[in-house]
Amino acid sequence: MKLITAIIKPFKLDDVREGLSDIGVAGVTVTEVKGFGRQRGHTELYRGAEYVVDFLPKVKLEIAVSEEQLDQAIDAIIAAANTGKIGDGKIFVTNLEKVIRIRTGETGNEAL
Amino acid sequence: MKLITAIIKPFKLDDVREGLSDIGVAGVTVTEVKGFGRQRGHTELYRGAEYVVDFLPKVKLEIAVSEEQLDQAIDAIIAAANTGKIGDGKIFVTNLEKVIRIRTGETGNEAL
Amino acid sequence: MKLITAIIKPFKLDDVREGLSDIGVAGVTVTEVKGFGRQRGHTELYRGAEYVVDFLPKVKLEIAVSEEQLDQAIDAIIAAANTGKIGDGKIFVTNLEKVIRIRTGETGNEAL
Amino acid sequence: MSNKIIKKGGLLAVLLLLPSLAFADELNGANTAWILTATALVLFMTIPGLSMFYAGLVRSKNVLSVFMQCFAITCVTSILWFVAGYSLAFGEGNAWIGDFSKVMLAGVDRDTLSGDIPESLFAMFQMTFAIITPALIVGAFAERMKFSAMLLFSGIWLLVVYAPVTHWVWGGGWLGSMGVYDFAGGLVVHITAGVAALVAALVLGPRKGFPTTAMPPHNLTMTIAGAGMLWVGWFGFNGGSALAANGDAAMAILVTHISASMGALTWAFIEWRKFGKPSALGAVTGMVAGLGTITPASGFVGPGGALIIGLLAGFVCFNATQFIKQKLKIDDSLDVFPVHGVGGILGTLAVAIFASTELGVFSGYGFADGISSIADQFSVQAIGVVAVIVFTAVATYVILKLVALLTGGLRVDEEAEQQGLDIVSHEETGYNL
Amino acid sequence: MSNKIIKKGGLLAVLLLLPSLAFADELNGANTAWILTATALVLFMTIPGLSMFYAGLVRSKNVLSVFMQCFAITCVTSILWFVAGYSLAFGEGNAWIGDFSKVMLAGVDRDTLSGDIPESLFAMFQMTFAIITPALIVGAFAERMKFSAMLLFSGIWLLVVYAPVTHWVWGGGWLGSMGVYDFAGGLVVHITAGVAALVAALVLGPRKGFPTTAMPPHNLTMTIAGAGMLWVGWFGFNGGSALAANGDAAMAILVTHISASMGALTWAFIEWRKFGKPSALGAVTGMVAGLGTITPASGFVGPGGALIIGLLAGFVCFNATQFIKQKLKIDDSLDVFPVHGVGGILGTLAVAIFASTELGVFSGYGFADGISSIADQFSVQAIGVVAVIVFTAVATYVILKLVALLTGGLRVDEEAEQQGLDIVSHEETGYNL
Amino acid sequence: MSNKIIKKGGLLAVLLLLPSLAFADELNGANTAWILTATALVLFMTIPGLSMFYAGLVRSKNVLSVFMQCFAITCVTSILWFVAGYSLAFGEGNAWIGDFSKVMLAGVDRDTLSGDIPESLFAMFQMTFAIITPALIVGAFAERMKFSAMLLFSGIWLLVVYAPVTHWVWGGGWLGSMGVYDFAGGLVVHITAGVAALVAALVLGPRKGFPTTAMPPHNLTMTIAGAGMLWVGWFGFNGGSALAANGDAAMAILVTHISASMGALTWAFIEWRKFGKPSALGAVTGMVAGLGTITPASGFVGPGGALIIGLLAGFVCFNATQFIKQKLKIDDSLDVFPVHGVGGILGTLAVAIFASTELGVFSGYGFADGISSIADQFSVQAIGVVAVIVFTAVATYVILKLVALLTGGLRVDEEAEQQGLDIVSHEETGYNL
Ligand SMILES: Nc1ncnc2c1ncn2[C@@H]1O[C@H](COP(=O)(O)OP(=O)(O)O)[C@@H](O)[C@H]1O
Ligand SMILES: Nc1ncnc2c1ncn2[C@@H]1O[C@H](COP(=O)(O)OP(=O)(O)O)[C@@H](O)[C@H]1O
Ligand SMILES: Nc1ncnc2c1ncn2[C@@H]1O[C@H](COP(=O)(O)OP(=O)(O)O)[C@@H](O)[C@H]1O
């Protein structure tokens, strides 16, 4: 199994989740994160004190999938999250050695 | 070394942490996350505008352990986090190539 | 490619980010986390009800780097985040099988 | 001076009874003390009251923009009211509009009286009404209007819509002369604001994503705290409109309070029956509906009447909110029209009934001078309602189109809307917790 | 009418001195102005004051439920007070309870006076006391009570406990006739609420997890902001209870303020000594203790006495809080009994001492008519305290049991408690930051 | 008694006109009603107003420490004012300081009058000024001062700086005798607080990381809500300083309101021009500048003058803020000196101009007795400004050095500053959302 970690723009969350549902991926874990990258931040001004905010709000999705689902899932994420503008984010894939469903103790693909 | 990523119900956090302490795992990093899965969310209503909340508050634990501790740690988590109800969460295991303690520069099992 | 996960003290975030920029690592994803470890927490008191807070605010950085950048990046993080006091945090390294830039579809080192 | 005081039959009797009130042109300290307080209370309604009430309802990324809009409106309308608004509303003028005799409060000195309180105080008390009315409209175009356009619109609207309507009703104009009843601003405040809100919502169009995307309130605790402040401040709004510290003021706050309570309970109970659970947002919305609805009636009805008015307010405004949002799919974002507009209309009409002295425990304190039946009072009220709606709708539409021309469009662009107005328009963020 | 005004010897002298007050049955505008204001201030204490104070102390998942409880209580008690509560409390009746002569405020017109202020205003001012008293109890059963049960309980309690006790003390009943001193509600408000809270905490049982699980306040900034509002509003509570804008009212707010300050400092200093650090929550809790404790005494003691009363309040209520929570392990979740109940008892007894005119700089303004020693006044006060505690405890217990029957249990089920009342009972969430 | 009332020529005439005011030593209920209210409003400015305004501006980890500082100062200064401060400020004494004749309010009974209001009320009203002045200074040393040092400093400062300056200006002292104009506390409140803030910022040194590290406000919604409360409360501050419910009070709140509006608009428009965007924080800061600046002038100028004063306030205080922070790099953390100090100076000088009756629409109500030109009034005002600045600066410096000795340093250590004062000094956290 593989763990997909996708960092996307927050307002794309609903689209991506729907895209994943459509291909049968039901489970996702979402974290609010801040991203530094090429996309430029903005400046805030408080009583004349300038404050450059170079991190941007992003959303991180973690999705455990079977090998078979991997490519399809990646495509679905790209399709939904792509705006063509800088800051669209990244997808990382790592290997998952084990997956367990706490409720039942099931492991492997069953546990997804 | 292995990295255990456990997604559990928030109110089980204390139990799990104690369970891990009991078997000698001292370090844990905790993130508040939102989970989508089989567990159904709820509906919120604001002046008649319905708003289906299908993500649920979960807590993600990341625990770096030595190979030897792995199974024991997984068992401890399952024992503490299991309620038998849907939404209890998942455990993911990935391989850790390197662990370093920033303070001392120690690496490997020493750094845990 | 490798994924560096560094857990550091929050007030070191700016230093670490600068350290990484200096060696050419432009992208970082940051999450606010809570850490349990050897560093002791504190006690809060609310109308005489004692409440031991044994988790501490930490910041988690996730940085995807090429193999070549790995050691340099680790060194930069340690240099910037080390205070010599307990609780400085950990660095974890895992293997990244795939990296994709959502905007362009680029993969591998190009996508970093 | 507001003519509602003149309307009240019993005033002369009271004057004769109280030695210290024997001369109408002598300052009454007690009334002055109360109106000083009431003025503070009505300002309190807008800042922080209404601004918190509204700001809690939008998304986090727009929270400061709502505060800023309420604040900037407060400042701009205050200056404009002082410069010209007061004169246009309360200067003698004709049946339609005041004049320029009191521009920059000319002739208003520390000793100048309006009735038995200082005229500076009367102008200031009225200023707080002139502040909250355009501030109410903010709810309609929240989360998408350009700050410059908003500012320009509010300023022009104050002078072109609010000031004349105030003159019609309270400044010696045609509606007042007909005997229209509007104790504290059903026509003047709530209908003008509500109708302008509806027009603005239509002209600007919905927020991107409405109605499919969920836009839940980002901080209901702020909204509820603001609602509490509105309730408290409303005592100054309605009680202060008696312009005296007497039984009229007391009865006004009593009926105000009862209507608010009934409005809140009604709304919450409808939710309970319909959706299974009563919500806090529903309760406070019903409360505001109860307050807005009783406003025109507050000096003319008794507590029994207020009970019914509050009940109607909760019921009618609840259904109006559902209708506008779910049937018409108009993005009047914070429901200004269904709550204030509909409530104002309802209350302005209902006063014709509950002012009647012949309804037993639901009786009020009688009709306007020269009016002797519910039907007659009702037709006067209905004329007022229709006139104010039509005038406000047309004028608001024209102003918005004009402002759109001047500012190159009323809305921020799509990306800015996405990012949120706080950063885009004000370079700030609400929370760094 | 509250008999505390009648009690005060000096009133007649004052009446004779002031020409505009020559007839007792003539409206006094100044007093009316102040009581209008005081009414707004006391409403402000509950919403948003107390509701913020309480809501900040619970966990995030229950924040709206607390707001909703305070709000709903405000609405329900207002209607019930108007319909029957006022009549039961202030209708002539007998020594134990009023009557139904003023049901729906029958006979209360715009011109009807109570003393020298409008009776509608007196009823309204008292209504704000009737609102805050059941709202105080919310702190005891926060985070676990069913909304329906809470609503039913509060309504019944108002009529069955609050109204009679008010009659006993202020409405011409037996305690007032005995000469009991309770200026602004030590017996009537704080002891009834505090004792009811204790009973409710015992009957409902602790929150799941108490006392082992930490349940830290989710937003102390909200609590402290609410505390500030309580302090300010309390000027209306105690100062308004003079029912006049005069030296009594002024002295009442002065002693109120001093006691609040001393209570806060005392609590914070105890923490400082005992735990090493003074906390903001400690300071504001001590402040509320100081305010609650001075309440029954506020019209009868001088500022020197207030200093001591505030000191005692901080000390005694601090220790009561520790005792209830750590020794008895009762989950009176927001410490209503140790702060309000104990404070109310303490103040009701202490007034017997500090009303004495013979304590030098700590003197007060004398005992009730016909009472001439600390001991005699003390025994009257003690009778009042015991009677109110026993009656409240028994009646509250019975009401709770009855409500449990009617609603199928007072508490939400365990899973609902886990998930939080906001979603479970109201389908809302407090924050979407 | 404050001598500003004596200064006003027209008072006698007013007295003769009003039968119920015929004797100066008779209680005036209307004035009492208004000052009771004003007292509540001024307390409201500090808690919760100012404490929220300030607390929102610091970082999350210090939010409670700011609340706690404001709260503790409220309590400590209240007690000290009662014990000795009032006597030192308003006891007869000499030109420099009062005496001990009113220690613990000796001789102040329920019937004692000060002018035509109860002296207990006058003392209480003034107490609220004595509370807010040291509380304002908190902004200078926020996020780094030891709680013990802060408390000691505030207490000593009240007695050593605030009480004498109050005596000079309002208590019968030398500045008042010279005819200095300070209606509601430009010299007494804003200059003393502002100068003390600057000295404290210099003595304590900047926060670790200043000015390179960004320290953005953690909760601007809290700041803006607090700002609204300050605005509303300021009606009591300036309007109450008339010590009467009359045209003076009314005019005072009118000019206050206009200056606040202009100050806010000016600041926001400067930002708009200079940085491209107007900010909500800028608007409310300009509003506070407008309020602080009009304060000394509020009883002496007309609304036209207030317009100019507000404009100047926005412009001058904006530039002072930039200068102190960016040029001098002084970490007066919440900009107390540039807003309150500079505003106070500006207003104290400007009143000499706009009190003139010869400026047409910008006219005021004339100079002090015996002064007949702008130049003469200006030189008196300038003497006042210089004297208060020098005295405050020197005395504050000495007190800080003394306190540093007593508490072993004014600041918490570096690690504590890192961790935040909430945990370190109070063992609490603001938010557990
Ligand atoms: N090397 C990296 N490691 C971890 N996260 C990264 C890395 N590079 C980018 N990111 C994440 O991806 C987000 C988008 O990256 P950015 O460079 O701004 O735009 P784009 O992905 O369109 O090139 C960043 O905000 C950050 O959260
Ligand atoms: N494929 C997945 N990838 C990542 N996280 C998942 C996945 N499936 C479930 N989760 C996480 O586990 C949580 C529980 O899953 P759910 O399907 O609701 O119940 P259960 O684990 O009992 O079957 C989810 O809320 C989500 O956070
Ligand atoms: N085994 C572990 N797994 C995951 N995170 C850990 C582990 N050990 C420590 N951490 C993280 O590192 C942080 C610092 O660890 P700690 O033991 O307090 O100090 P140090 O790293 O200096 O030894 C912890 O707060 C926690 O977030």
Side-chain angles (χ1 to χ4, degrees), chain D residues 140-344:
Chain D
F141 51 64
E143 310 201 272
R144 57 199 185 282
M145 196 169 187
K146 266 186 206 160
F147 183 68
S148 56
M150 187 288 311
L151 211 55
L152 207 56
F153 167 72
S154 301
I156 300 175
W157 191 88
L158 180 83
L159 298 177
V160 172
V161 177
Y162 183 79
V165 172
T166 305
H167 188 76
W168 297 358
V169 180
W170 293 337
W174 67 281
L175 278 173
S177 310
M178 280 179 64
V180 86
Y181 260 6
D182 186 7
F183 193 71
L187 291 162
V188 174
V189 174
H190 294 282
I191 298 182
T192 59
V195 170
L198 188 64
V199 173
L202 288 168
V203 172
L204 269 95
R207 287 167 293 176
K208 193 179 147 57
F210 178 91
T212 49
T213 309
M215 304 177 183
H218 91 283
N219 191 345
L220 276 184
T221 72
M222 183 184 277
T223 293
I224 300 173
M229 295 175 192
L230 280 172
W231 194 337
V232 171
W234 225 292
F235 282 13
F237 200 87
N238 289 0
S241 290
L243 295 177
N246 58 14
D248 293 8
M251 192 54 88
I253 70 168
L254 176 61
V255 300
T256 298
H257 188 82
I258 288 183
S259 178
S261 299
M262 276 308 286
L265 290 175
T266 306
W267 194 298
F269 277 105
I270 296 176
E271 288 185 337
W272 210 341
R273 265 207 72 188
K274 221 173 143 147
F275 309 127
K277 294 175 189 175
S279 74
L281 177 59
V284 299
T285 308
M287 175 210 92
V288 173
L291 289 167
T293 306
I294 196 71
T295 294
S298 53
F300 308 115
V301 304
L307 206 72
I308 310 296
I309 287 176
L311 188 95
L312 290 173
F315 182 79
V316 174
C317 296
F318 173 86
N319 285 296
T321 303
Q322 303 291 103
F323 183 74
I324 298 275
K325 197 177 295 172
Q326 294 181 347
K327 289 278 138 56
L328 303 186
K329 301 210 187 298
I330 296 172
D331 187 17
D332 175 358
S333 310
L334 312 183
D335 306 302
V336 185
F337 179 72
V339 174
H340 295 276
V342 172

Side-chain angles (χ1 to χ4, degrees), chain E residues 33-355:
Chain E
W34 169 233
I35 304 308
L36 285 165
T37 306
T39 302
L41 285 170
V42 185
L43 179 62
F44 184 56
M45 286 176 70
T46 308
I47 50 167
L50 181 73
S51 55
M52 290 174 74
F53 184 72
Y54 274 1
L57 291 173
V58 299
R59 286 163 295 173
S60 184
K61 62 186 176 183
N62 296 312
V63 58
L64 294 182
S65 77
V66 170
F67 273 113
M68 181 62 169
Q69 288 171 10
C70 292
F71 235 85
I73 286 176
T74 298
C75 298
V76 164
T77 56
S78 295
I79 302 299
L80 289 177
W81 185 253
F82 159 61
V83 170
Y86 177 68
S87 192
L88 290 173
F90 290 98
E92 190 149 335
N94 53 37
W96 305 99
I97 187 127
D99 52 33
F100 292 106
S101 62
K102 298 191 171 187
V103 156
M104 288 198 76
L105 293 183
V108 177
D109 234 315
R110 288 201 291 206
D111 305 330
T112 321
L113 295 186
S114 168
D116 60 8
I117 63 169
E119 185 168 357
S120 56
L121 179 57
F122 178 72
M124 183 71 219
F125 179 62
Q126 287 293 338
M127 188 192 285
T128 58
F129 283 64
I131 289 168
I132 200 168
T133 310
L136 283 170
I137 309 172
V138 163
F141 50 67
E143 310 201 273
R144 59 196 182 284
M145 196 170 188
K146 265 186 208 160
F147 183 68
S148 57
M150 186 288 312
L151 211 56
L152 207 56
F153 168 72
S154 301
I156 300 175
W157 191 88
L158 180 84
L159 298 177
V160 172
V161 177
Y162 183 79
V165 172
T166 304
H167 188 76
W168 297 358
V169 179
W170 294 337
W174 67 281
L175 278 173
S177 310
M178 281 181 63
V180 84
Y181 261 6
D182 186 8
F183 194 72
L187 290 162
V188 173
V189 175
H190 295 284
I191 298 182
T192 58
V195 170
L198 188 64
V199 173
L202 287 167
V203 171
L204 269 95
R207 289 167 292 177
K208 193 180 147 56
F210 178 91
T212 48
T213 309
M215 304 176 181
H218 90 283
N219 191 344
L220 276 183
T221 72
M222 183 183 277
T223 293
I224 300 174
M229 295 174 190
L230 280 173
W231 194 337
V232 171
W234 225 292
F235 282 15
F237 201 86
N238 289 359
S241 289
L243 295 177
N246 59 14
D248 293 8
M251 192 53 88
I253 70 168
L254 177 61
V255 300
T256 298
H257 188 83
I258 288 184
S259 178
S261 299
M262 276 307 286
L265 289 175
T266 305
W267 194 298
F269 276 106
I270 296 176
E271 288 185 338
W272 209 341
R273 264 207 73 189
K274 222 172 143 146
F275 309 128
K277 292 173 191 176
S279 74
L281 178 59
V284 299
T285 308
M287 174 211 92
V288 173
L291 289 167
T293 306
I294 197 71
T295 293
S298 52
F300 308 115
V301 304
L307 205 73
I308 310 296
I309 288 176
L311 188 93
L312 290 171
F315 182 78
V316 174
C317 296
F318 174 86
N319 284 297
T321 303
Q322 304 290 104
F323 184 74
I324 299 275
K325 196 177 295 172
Q326 294 180 348
K327 289 278 139 57
L328 304 185
K329 302 212 186 298
I330 297 172
D331 187 18
D332 176 359
S333 310
L334 312 183
D335 305 302
V336 185
F337 178 72
V339 173
H340 295 275
V342 172
I345 295 167
L346 181 65
T348 303
L349 298 177
V351 66
I353 300 165
F354 295 103

Side-chain angles (χ1 to χ4, degrees), chain C residues 28 58 89:
Chain C
V28 183
K58 300 278 168 191

Side-chain angles (χ1 to χ4, degrees), chain C residues 43-52, chain E residues 214 216-217 275 285 322 325-326 334-335:
Chain C
T43 301
E44 296 178 11
L45 262 175
Y46 297 102
R47 291 181 175 170
E50 207 173 81
Y51 166 36
V52 181
Chain E
F275 309 128
T285 308
Q322 304 290 104
K325 196 177 295 172
Q326 294 180 348
L334 312 183
D335 305 302

Side-chain angles (χ1 to χ4, degrees), chain B residues 42-52, chain D residues 53 214 216-217 275 285 322 325-326 334-335:
Chain B
H42 60 269
T43 299
E44 296 178 11
L45 260 175
Y46 298 102
R47 290 180 175 170
E50 207 173 81
Y51 165 38
V52 181
Chain D
F53 184 72
F275 309 127
T285 308
Q322 303 291 103
K325 197 177 295 172
Q326 294 181 347
L334 312 183
D335 306 302

Side-chain angles (χ1 to χ4, degrees), chain F residues 8-385:
Chain F
K8 285 184 224 119
L11 188 65
L12 198 65
V14 172
L15 286 178
L16 294 176
L17 276 169
L18 293 175
S20 66
L21 277 171
F23 307 97
D25 53 1
E26 191 178 272
L27 181 128
N28 181 304
N31 296 347
T32 302
W34 168 234
I35 304 307
L36 285 165
T37 307
T39 301
L41 285 171
V42 185
L43 180 62
F44 184 56
M45 286 175 70
T46 308
I47 50 167
L50 181 73
S51 55
M52 291 175 72
F53 183 73
Y54 274 1
L57 291 172
V58 299
R59 286 163 294 174
S60 185
K61 62 185 176 183
N62 295 312
V63 58
L64 294 182
S65 76
V66 169
F67 272 113
M68 181 63 169
Q69 288 171 10
C70 293
F71 234 86
I73 286 175
T74 299
C75 298
V76 163
T77 56
S78 295
I79 302 299
L80 289 177
W81 184 254
F82 160 60
V83 170
Y86 177 68
S87 192
L88 290 173
F90 291 98
E92 191 148 338
N94 53 37
W96 305 99
I97 187 126
D99 52 33
F100 292 107
S101 62
K102 299 192 171 186
V103 156
M104 289 198 76
L105 292 183
V108 177
D109 233 316
R110 288 202 291 207
D111 304 330
T112 321
L113 295 185
S114 169
D116 60 8
I117 63 169
E119 184 167 358
S120 56
L121 179 57
F122 178 71
M124 183 70 220
F125 179 63
Q126 286 293 338
M127 189 192 283
T128 58
F129 285 63
I131 288 168
I132 202 170
T133 310
L136 284 170
I137 309 173
V138 164
F141 51 66
E143 308 201 274
R144 59 199 184 282
M145 195 168 187
K146 266 186 206 161
F147 183 68
S148 57
M150 186 287 313
L151 211 55
L152 207 57
F153 168 72
S154 302
I156 300 176
W157 191 88
L158 180 83
L159 298 177
V160 172
V161 177
Y162 183 79
V165 172
T166 305
H167 188 76
W168 297 359
V169 180
W170 293 337
W174 67 281
L175 278 173
S177 310
M178 280 179 65
V180 85
Y181 260 5
D182 186 8
F183 194 72
L187 290 163
V188 173
V189 174
H190 295 283
I191 297 182
T192 58
V195 170
L198 187 63
V199 172
L202 287 167
V203 171
L204 269 96
R207 287 167 293 177
K208 194 179 147 57
F210 178 91
T212 48
T213 309
M215 303 176 182
H218 91 283
N219 191 344
L220 275 184
T221 72
M222 183 183 278
T223 293
I224 300 174
M229 294 175 192
L230 280 173
W231 193 338
V232 171
W234 225 293
F235 282 14
F237 201 87
N238 289 359
S241 289
L243 296 176
N246 58 14
D248 294 8
M251 192 54 87
I253 69 169
L254 176 62
V255 300
T256 298
H257 188 83
I258 288 183
S259 178
S261 298
M262 276 308 286
L265 290 175
T266 306
W267 194 298
F269 276 106
I270 296 176
E271 288 185 338
W272 210 340
R273 265 208 72 189
K274 221 172 143 146
F275 309 128
K277 292 175 190 174
S279 74
L281 177 59
V284 298
T285 308
M287 175 211 91
V288 173
L291 288 167
T293 305
I294 196 71
T295 293
S298 52
F300 308 115
V301 304
L307 206 74
I308 309 297
I309 288 176
L311 188 95
L312 290 172
F315 182 78
V316 173
C317 296
F318 174 86
N319 284 297
T321 302
Q322 303 290 102
F323 184 73
I324 298 275
K325 197 178 293 172
Q326 294 180 347
K327 289 279 139 55
L328 303 186
K329 301 208 187 298
I330 297 172
D331 187 17
D332 176 358
S333 311
L334 313 183
D335 305 304
V336 186
F337 178 71
V339 173
H340 294 276
V342 171
I345 294 167
L346 181 64
T348 303
L349 298 177
V351 65
I353 300 165
F354 295 102
S356 165
T357 54
E358 296 171 5
L359 302 175
V361 74
F362 302 109
S363 289
Y365 295 101
F367 306 116
D369 278 352
I371 296 184
S372 53
S373 74
I374 290 182
D376 288 359
Q377 185 73 49
F378 194 89
S379 69
V380 173
Q381 300 299 110
I383 291 170
V385 166

